[in-house]
Amino acid sequence: MALSPSLIRPATCAVFLSMSTLMGCKKEKTEPATLPGRWQLVLEHSINTDASTGQTITERHQPGTTGDYLEISASTFQEYRGNQLYFTAPYTYAGSTISMQSLNPRTDLSREVRELTSQKLVLHYKLPAIVNNQQVTIDATYSR
């Protein structure tokens, strides 16, 4: 099958245009980030499971508000809820873990860093207390 001369030029232009468009597309580059700074809660995904069986009881997706954020310095991790200090603890950051200990040495407040870029922080952790035989696992997404 041959193209008529009147169709060759438009077809060639269409091919070159689509190739130049594809070559011009760049994946958005995300720069690595340091942990210290203020991180605004965007979304909190929580799963309540039965502590005995591991069966999911409830699952919630809750957006953050302007008063929900982290304030992280070089040595102190502070979490705010509704503009009120929820907790503060000294921390260390190594690999993908933010290690924190509460005043009670048996309470581990550590969080796993699932993603850290200059604009996004995703933390995964379990609440340290089991209440009504329920364990709560949280994935929290923050932005700068």
Side-chain angles (χ1 to χ4, degrees):
M1 176 177 150
L3 291 175
S4 70
S6 63
L7 294 177
I8 291 176
R9 179 168 269 181
T12 304
C13 288
V15 168
F16 284 128
L17 181 61
S18 63
M19 287 177 59
S20 65
T21 301
L22 287 175
M23 290 188 318
C25 293
K26 292 185 218 173
K27 187 175 181 182
E28 186 177 314
K29 189 175 180 182
T30 55
E31 297 294 323
T34 57
L35 193 58
R38 182 179 171 131
W39 294 94
Q40 185 67 44
L41 180 64
V42 175
L43 180 68
E44 185 175 271
H45 174 215
S46 61
I47 301 173
N48 291 40
T49 55
D50 184 289
S52 304
T53 65
Q55 182 178 0
T56 299
I57 298 170
T58 59
E59 187 171 352
R60 290 188 347 214
H61 294 270
Q62 186 171 334
T65 67
T66 56
D68 301 333
Y69 59 93
L70 302 177
E71 194 68 55
I72 304 173
S73 71
S75 60
T76 305
F77 186 100
Q78 296 178 323
E79 183 174 336
Y80 289 83
R81 296 294 175 126
N83 286 319
Q84 299 294 315
L85 182 62
Y86 185 65
F87 83 89
T88 184
Y91 78 96
T92 57
Y93 179 51
S96 63
T97 303
I98 300 170
S99 300
M100 294 180 281
Q101 208 64 47
S102 75
L103 296 175
N104 178 345
R106 295 181 298 161
T107 304
D108 183 17
L109 300 171
S110 298
R111 279 128 166 82
E112 176 189 350
V113 177
R114 293 265 171 104
E115 184 177 348
L116 176 60
T117 67
S118 60
Q119 296 298 312
K120 185 176 181 181
L121 171 64
V122 179
L123 299 178
H124 174 83
Y125 58 98
K126 291 186 180 195
L127 293 181
I130 295 176
V131 179
N132 296 330
N133 200 39
Q134 292 184 28
Q135 175 71 57
V136 181
T137 304
I138 295 177
D139 286 305
T141 303
Y142 297 88
S143 68
R144 287 208 199 249

